[in-house]
Amino acid sequence: MPGCCGLVTLKNEPVPLKSIAVEVNVQGHVATVSSTLQYENQEKSPLEAIFVFTLPGEAAVCRFSAKIGQTEVVAEVQEKQKAQEQYDDAVSSGQQAFLLEESEESPDVFKLSVGHLPPGEKASVSLDYVTELAVQADDGLRLCLPAVLNPRYKPQGSDNNSAGSAQVSSVPAGSVPYSLTLSAHVTSPHPIAKVESNCPLDPLNYMNTEKTQATVSLAAGHKFDRDVELLVYYQDAHKPTAIVEAPQASAKPGSLMGDPVVMLSLYPEFPKDVMSSVTSRGEFLFVVDRSGSMNYSIHAGPDAQDRIGSARDTLLLLLKSLPMGCYFNIIGFGSTYQSFFPKSVEYSQKTMDEALQKVKVMRADLGGTEILQPLKHIYSQPCLPDQPRQVSSCLFL
């Protein structure tokens, strides 16, 4: 698998990216994301390229197409070996071909074999996926659009490199030489209160007087050198909602797409006295990536902080926000793992100060990125009585 995302040759050399267009359609607690990426072969000879991209773990691909010149191919699900044979036959005969498959190394990484891309020719890759929006503590619904050029880690044994090494690639420093357009359409049975982002947005545009439909776009100039986060807020967010999707006219009645579908969303609100008693208890375990890849910058800007520095800042904030009387521990991992304390300790001024000092000197010095063993260790330990366990990760993919 190539060490970076985007369109790359078999020699792991990037094919120039010309533009990205993203359309997001939010309905209640679910979003459909449609992305189109344009590439161009600027070499003097044809090349065989692979498109590598990441998806959220909870996302499901519902449509995929690729176009070279005037030839467009829409994906069709086939048995893996049969699809590989058809692709090999097409490439060997000099025909254009596309093969999309899930990576065996990471289930949220997909690879598209584009086949022959003639000199000067453009390739357009279009991908639609559906994902559930994560509910935040302030009742916002979060959608994260991963920057397709972000570095990705390759697990140990994925190639001939020595064990324990994390294979990453960086976005080149300076301006990213392509344009990004992003627009979102939000529909909800409840009025839409606001839409926020970690990136500049144009003003929210309501489509009706009830404010149940709205559109918003990313402000011009964003270079997509970091993930784009959208937060959608509804009024009366805790009221149950039902959204009905009509059947497809071309589908046979009784088939999966031939009948109407209802999506029911329940987001209960608990009394504050109950929630306050719950939030004052708990065992909070923070799992932190301390592999060598955390020494890389979080984005391509000239003043970019390294990832381990960002992780330290996050931990310092979280440690100061824990409720008194809870229990906590911090586990750093790489090729091995280390815990701040032999077992979870009660949160107090003394233990917080001790943990803060350890965080301040924490380094990315534990080798490769192997998270399985620390997770096995955590879940092999018995839970503390009346202290619900919460495991949070602090890592960059």
Side-chain angles (χ1 to χ4, degrees):
M1 173 180 157
C4 61
C5 290
L7 194 66
V8 297
T9 67
L10 297 181
K11 296 180 180 180
N12 204 25
E13 298 171 348
V15 178
L17 174 63
K18 310 306 288 185
S19 66
I20 303 177
V22 181
E23 293 185 5
V24 180
N25 185 17
V26 177
Q27 290 188 309
H29 287 66
V30 175
T32 301
V33 182
S34 302
S35 303
T36 301
L37 299 95
Q38 299 277 355
Y39 293 90
E40 182 178 0
N41 178 12
Q42 297 180 348
E43 302 296 325
K44 297 181 180 180
S45 59
L47 55 84
E48 185 175 357
I50 300 174
F51 180 60
V52 183
F53 61 98
T54 65
L55 285 177
E58 66 277 7
V61 177
C62 55
R63 187 181 185 278
F64 182 87
S65 66
K67 184 177 182 180
I68 293 180
Q70 300 302 313
T71 303
E72 182 177 16
V73 177
V74 179
E76 174 184 303
V77 178
Q78 292 185 353
E79 189 274 327
K80 185 174 183 179
Q81 184 61 35
K82 178 181 178 182
Q84 183 67 57
E85 292 174 354
Q86 291 188 3
Y87 172 78
D88 291 341
D89 290 343
V91 171
S92 62
S93 62
Q95 300 179 16
Q96 295 169 350
F98 305 89
L99 178 66
L100 175 68
E101 59 183 340
E102 181 181 284
S103 170
E104 296 178 354
E105 301 161 2
S106 181
D108 62 343
V109 177
F110 286 78
K111 298 188 297 183
L112 166 70
S113 298
V114 176
H116 283 288
L117 185 61
E121 193 64 87
K122 295 181 180 180
S124 175
V125 178
S126 298
L127 171 74
D128 295 2
Y129 66 88
V130 179
T131 185
E132 183 180 358
L133 302 179
V135 180
Q136 306 301 291
D138 61 353
D139 296 337
L141 300 178
R142 177 178 179 271
L143 172 67
C144 183
L145 301 174
V148 73
L149 295 183
N150 270 358
R152 293 291 294 183
Y153 164 71
K154 295 201 299 180
Q156 292 182 10
S158 61
D159 56 23
N160 294 327
N161 291 287
S162 59
S165 61
Q167 305 301 315
V168 297
S169 62
S170 313
V171 180
S175 300
V176 180
Y178 57 81
S179 62
L180 166 70
T181 59
L182 184 149
S183 61
H185 186 277
V186 184
T187 303
S188 172
H190 301 312
I192 301 162
K194 59 182 179 179
V195 177
E196 297 180 345
S197 177
N198 62 332
C199 303
L201 295 175
D202 289 335
L204 187 66
N205 180 30
Y206 290 105
M207 307 299 293
N208 56 15
T209 56
E210 294 83 7
K211 296 186 176 182
T212 57
Q213 296 185 29
T215 60
V216 66
S217 299
L218 198 63
H222 179 66
K223 297 301 183 182
F224 215 4
D225 56 353
R226 63 188 183 276
D227 293 351
V228 176
E229 181 184 79
L230 294 178
L231 291 168
V232 180
Y233 294 87
Y234 298 137
Q235 296 180 22
D236 303 320
H238 294 283
K239 289 185 178 180
T241 62
I243 297 177
V244 180
E245 181 173 334
Q248 290 185 356
S250 59
K252 181 180 179 181
S255 64
L256 177 62
M257 304 302 294
D259 292 329
V261 179
V262 178
M263 179 178 67
L264 179 64
S265 298
L266 301 173
Y267 179 29
E269 183 177 18
F270 297 99
K272 292 184 178 179
D273 56 342
V274 174
M275 295 304 297
S276 61
S277 64
V278 172
T279 54
S280 64
R281 300 194 304 268
E283 180 189 20
F284 298 88
L285 302 179
F286 302 103
V287 183
V288 186
D289 186 356
R290 290 179 53 188
S291 66
S293 61
M294 293 291 283
N295 286 315
Y296 283 80
S297 301
I298 60 176
H299 61 80
D303 300 322
Q305 185 183 30
D306 58 22
R307 297 174 172 194
I308 193 64
S310 178
R312 282 194 297 265
D313 291 345
T314 301
L315 282 174
L316 291 174
L317 175 63
L318 292 174
L319 284 173
K320 295 178 181 179
S321 305
L322 292 177
M324 297 298 293
C326 73
Y327 286 75
F328 77 101
N329 204 350
I330 298 174
I331 300 96
F333 71 92
S335 300
T336 60
Y337 62 91
Q338 298 176 358
S339 300
F340 276 23
F341 305 100
K343 61 180 181 180
S344 295
V345 296
E346 185 174 358
Y347 184 72
S348 63
Q349 186 66 46
K350 178 182 178 181
T351 56
M352 181 191 72
D353 290 341
E354 184 178 351
L356 291 176
Q357 293 304 315
K358 291 177 180 288
V359 168
K360 290 177 181 179
V361 297
M362 187 177 67
R363 298 290 180 264
D365 54 4
L366 293 183
T369 313
E370 300 302 325
I371 195 174
L372 180 59
Q373 291 307 315
L375 291 180
K376 284 184 174 180
H377 170 73
I378 290 171
Y379 289 107
S380 68
Q381 306 301 309
C383 292
L384 299 174
D386 299 322
Q387 301 289 345
R389 176 177 291 169
Q390 299 185 39
V391 181
S392 302
S393 62
C394 186
L395 65 161
F396 293 79
L397 297 179

